[in-house]
């Protein structure tokens, strides 16, 4: 991944039907990472020298849930929202959006500064809950890093 501010990680299928991830950056450039969303997230943690397993274990206690956790990787806050049906086991169905760029939500859509509106498979309430979880984890993360 490039050394740019991340706007979104989007799971996709390439022209051959293979699972891939597209990284969209705040300057609106894009990069096909040619790996699954799961691998892309693991690599993001590695690049930022962060402990993914330790983070997930800690974040589960803050959010009080096991799935759909927001990702805090150094200064990047990513909210995970389901965006597609899964074709087969192991396919990623979550899009990860930079929390700082989300400015509005509606049933089935999230509005992102610079990217217009992005379709998702979630109602407005679910989206708001995911954003609140992200904010709660972010606050606890900041306190943990300062303390």
């Amino acid at each position: 991944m490039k050394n740019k501010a991340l706007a979104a990680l989007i799971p996709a299928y390439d022209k051959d039907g293979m699972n891939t991830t597209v990284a969209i950056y705040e300057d609106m450039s894009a990069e096909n990472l040619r790996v699954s969303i799961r691998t892309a997230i693991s690599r993001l943690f590695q690049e930022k020298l962060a402990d993914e397993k330790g983070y997930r274990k800690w974040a589960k206690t803050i959010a009080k849930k096991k799935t759909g956790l927001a990702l805090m990787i150094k200064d990047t806050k990513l909210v995970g929202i389901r965006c597609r049906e899964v074709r087969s086991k192991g396919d990623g169905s979550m899009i990860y959006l930079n929390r700082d760029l989300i400015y509005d939500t509606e049933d089935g859509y999230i509005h992102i500064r610079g990217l217009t509106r992005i379709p998702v498979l979630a109602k407005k309430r679910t989206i708001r809950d995911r954003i609140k979880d992200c904010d709660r984890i972010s606050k606890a993360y900041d306190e943990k890093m300062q303390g």
Side-chain angles (χ1 to χ4, degrees):
M1 263 181 269
K2 299 175 183 173
N3 267 346
K4 294 182 180 181
L6 192 61
L9 285 175
I10 303 170
Y13 297 110
D14 65 14
K15 60 181 170 50
D16 300 322
M18 298 299 296
N19 203 10
T20 189
T21 302
V22 177
I24 307 285
Y25 301 98
E26 283 190 46
D27 66 0
M28 293 306 117
S29 62
E31 177 183 14
N32 183 348
L33 302 178
R34 293 176 175 48
V35 295
S36 70
I37 192 86
R38 175 77 243 128
T39 302
I41 290 168
S42 291
R43 286 183 182 171
L44 187 60
F45 271 97
Q46 289 169 0
E47 286 174 12
K48 303 288 185 175
L49 303 175
D51 174 18
E52 182 179 6
K53 285 184 182 178
Y55 168 80
R56 288 188 182 279
K57 185 176 179 183
W58 171 82
K60 285 177 188 178
T61 64
I62 302 299
K64 295 178 178 52
K65 64 170 62 170
K66 293 182 180 180
T67 60
L69 291 172
L71 304 175
M72 301 293 127
I73 308 168
K74 302 290 183 199
D75 56 346
T76 304
K77 298 181 279 191
L78 299 172
V79 178
I81 307 285
R82 191 157 177 247
C83 69
R84 70 176 184 186
E85 297 295 335
V86 177
R87 283 191 195 169
S88 64
K89 189 176 188 312
D91 278 1
S93 64
M94 303 285 277
I95 185 172
Y96 289 88
L97 303 168
N98 187 321
R99 168 63 183 102
D100 296 333
L101 301 180
I102 297 172
Y103 69 88
D104 195 14
T105 63
E106 59 183 279
D107 283 352
Y109 294 96
I110 297 177
H111 296 266
I112 298 273
R113 203 171 30 252
L115 282 180
T116 190
R117 64 185 209 167
I118 297 174
V120 295
L121 296 180
K123 298 283 185 201
K124 186 174 184 170
R125 180 178 179 178
T126 302
I127 297 167
R128 276 198 323 253
D129 288 347
R130 293 290 170 101
I131 291 170
K132 284 179 187 174
D133 287 345
C134 179
D135 293 342
R136 193 168 44 251
I137 291 170
S138 176
K139 183 178 180 205
Y141 182 84
D142 289 344
E143 290 169 0
K144 180 180 177 180
M145 290 301 129
Q146 290 173 358

